[in-house]
Structures are given as structure tokens and as C-alpha cells.
Amino acid sequence: MILVTGGLGMIGAHTAAALVDRGHEVVVTAHRTTEVPSFLDGRVTVENVDTTDRDAFLALGDRHDIRDIVHLAGSIPEADPIEFFRRDTAGLLNALEAARRWEVGRFAVASSIGVYTGRPEIPWTEDLDLPSADLPHAIVAFKKAVEPLTLFALAGTGVHPVLLRIGSTWGPLMDPESPFNPIPPAVGALRRGEQPPALHADDGGDFGYAPDTGRAIALLMAADVLDHTVYNVSSGHRYTHRELAEALDAAFPETPVRLLEGRSTGPGEHPYLDISRLRAETGFTPEFDVAAAVADYVAWRNAHSR
């Protein structure tokens, strides 16, 4: 059985679904989000557990034969990041202790595309050294710290760490008004018949649709052998807002998206992730380009609140 913490969140739920599709038994933890999405209903075991509660977390091993862990549970920072760091560090340490105690085979944990902040090379590859840099958000700072903590905690234990440097992911179950991605809010506005904010045509960058991201993580967990500990997880494609606007216009022809020429930050290129390592070791190929993802998401939102 595979444990997916945060398994009712956007990435967690799609990861759990992809694992079940491949024949795995899956148990997911739920805490702040407890509504089971339709595509998981009746297919996974749901445990209402706060991952920051050490005893409750470790007790999962008394009820389930857990052989691998995908740790995706996380929270949103307050204005003061200290409580966020304390909370999410506690969850990570409990998951690492469980991995060691249960002697699991693999422990995958969410890192972030943001750890590459400060590297001028494009695309970003896993072999780049991570620089000291001013990070854009507390979540990125925590994800960057996750990597050495995980590697050190699991060194010499026989547990294979898998650091998931996940790109900018969006899709079903994302907060419709998320400040981290422009697409769900734009779709929400267009569904209401409103004009979303204008987009700079050449802005964009990394792109990952949640069902693809979940499938990529599932493939990493299912692979017979993994040759590395760090994997970029995304589409491997640099999308632009011009592509996005075309896809949105196809879905909502009555309200064309306004485009501004160029990039909002001036000349240059937006970074994105190289996924050659992921492709080579798992055979992963994204099923969704921008147009297909937007069409799928609009159909989902027409039937679901988020």
C-alpha cells in the first residue's frame, strides 16, 4: 500500500488516482480538505489525520501495511512565516520518522521549481547547483529546506528518497481564485461573463496540468529502478499567455481575452523545467497541452465548484 499525505488536495488527489489506475492500493490523509473528489470516491482509503500529530501519523502504520510514502501535505503561510515553517516542518519530520520506522522502499516529497531561483540557465535541469538567492515566497523557502533535511534523515536507512521538483501546476481542485496561477481565476471570470485581467502575450513559463503531474509522480513510485534522487516534474514545455488566450477564446468565444504585447518584465525568457530525466526513467509523456488542459478544466468546472 502507498500512503499519499495531502491526498485530497489538487496534486495529491491526482497522484492517488494515477496510482490506483496502476493497480496500487492507496491510503490518503485528509485534514483541512475532507471532501473526496468524484474521481477518487470509493477508490482509496481516507484517513482523517493531521500530519503534524506525531502519534496519529505513526499509528497509520498499525492499521495499514504501508510500503511507500508520497508526502504532499502542506499548508498556506500566514503573514508571519514562523508558524507555517513550524507546522510544515513537523509534518515532514513525522513523515520521515514513519518512513524509517516502517522501512518503506521509497519516500517521495514535494519540492518546487522555485528552488532554482537565481539560476540564469534555461531550461532548468536537476544537475544545476542551487544558489543562494532571495526567494519569492515562504513556501519556496520551505521546499528548498525540505531537500537536504530529507536526504540527511534517510541516509543509510535503505529508504530511497525522491525529491519532486514540481513545476507550476494547476487544474481540477485548485482554488478557483488562487494567486499562484492565472488560469483558474481567468476561467472563473469568463464563466461569469466577465473580462479577466489582460495578459502579456509573451509571459508564461512552466506548465503542468494536475492530472499529468499526478501521473508523473505515480510513474516514479511505480518504476522498478530509479537512478537518481531528484526529478523535475512538469510538462517540459514553455507555454505562453498567447497560447493560453487562444485556448480560452476557443472555450469562451463570446469574451475574447485581452492580450498586451511582449513580456510584463521586459525582454528575456521565462524559465521552465527540463524533464528529460523523468522521461528517460519512467517513459512519462504529458497527455495535455495548453489547449487540451483548458478544455478539460472548463468541462470540469462546469460540473464542479473547484
Side-chain angles (χ1 to χ4, degrees), residues 6-306:
L8 298 185
M10 177 182 64
I11 296 177
H14 287 95
T15 299
L19 287 166
V20 172
D21 288 344
R22 280 153 185 77
H24 296 281
E25 289 186 278
V26 177
V27 57
V28 305
T29 66
H31 181 46
R32 283 171 292 274
T33 300
T34 57
E35 182 179 354
V36 180
S38 56
F39 58 81
L40 275 188
D41 192 24
R43 304 179 72 205
V44 299
T45 300
V46 180
E47 289 274 8
N48 193 348
V49 171
D50 180 353
T51 57
T52 68
D53 183 332
R54 176 179 176 272
D55 291 340
F57 198 122
L58 294 177
L60 290 170
D62 299 330
R63 297 192 293 275
H64 306 285
D65 181 22
I66 296 169
R67 306 315 305 157
D68 295 293
I69 296 174
V70 184
H71 183 54
L72 301 175
S75 61
I76 301 299
E78 300 86 351
D80 182 347
I82 295 298
E83 284 305 312
F84 162 69
F85 291 145
R86 180 178 290 114
R87 186 170 57 242
D88 279 28
T89 300
L92 172 66
L93 295 179
N94 290 338
L96 286 167
E97 182 177 357
R100 292 161 54 119
R101 179 175 295 194
W102 302 338
E103 297 181 340
V104 304
R106 286 180 188 153
F107 179 89
V109 62
S111 181
S112 167
I113 184 175
V115 302
Y116 292 108
T117 298
R119 297 295 321 199
E121 302 88 346
I122 299 175
W124 285 331
T125 59
E126 295 95 336
D127 56 357
L128 292 171
D129 291 332
L130 302 185
S132 297
D134 290 332
L135 299 176
H137 198 275
I139 291 176
V140 176
F142 176 73
K143 297 301 186 186
K144 194 168 183 177
V146 161
E147 297 197 5
L149 291 175
T150 297
L151 293 176
F152 198 90
L154 298 181
T157 65
V159 180
H160 186 132
V162 183
L163 307 180
L164 306 166
R165 292 180 180 168
I166 301 173
S168 302
T169 300
W170 69 283
L173 305 183
M174 191 175 204
D175 177 0
E177 300 304 323
S178 172
F180 299 113
N181 190 289
I183 306 176
V187 169
L190 291 165
R191 291 182 69 245
R192 296 189 298 269
E194 301 170 3
Q195 181 69 250
L199 300 171
H200 281 81
D202 295 328
D203 279 355
D206 197 70
F207 170 90
Y209 193 51
D212 275 337
T213 298
R215 188 166 54 86
I217 296 171
L219 287 170
L220 285 166
M221 298 306 290
D224 291 336
V225 176
L226 291 178
D227 295 328
H228 298 87
T229 59
V230 181
Y231 292 88
N232 288 340
V233 177
S234 192
S235 70
H237 165 71
R238 177 173 45 227
Y239 88 102
T240 66
H241 283 172
R242 190 181 304 278
E243 293 175 79
L244 172 60
E246 290 172 356
L248 291 171
D249 288 350
F252 301 97
E254 66 283 1
T255 313
V257 174
R258 293 175 296 156
L259 278 179
L260 306 174
E261 288 303 313
R263 296 172 72 242
S264 58
T265 55
E269 294 181 307
H270 288 282
Y272 67 101
L273 295 176
D274 178 279
I275 61 167
S276 299
R277 180 178 293 180
L278 173 66
R279 291 179 186 271
E281 296 189 31
T282 70
F284 172 75
T285 300
E287 292 181 355
F288 294 89
D289 59 11
V290 176
V294 168
D296 183 80
Y297 181 70
V298 170
W300 170 268
R301 284 295 311 281
N302 286 339
H304 302 86
S305 62
R306 58 182 299 155

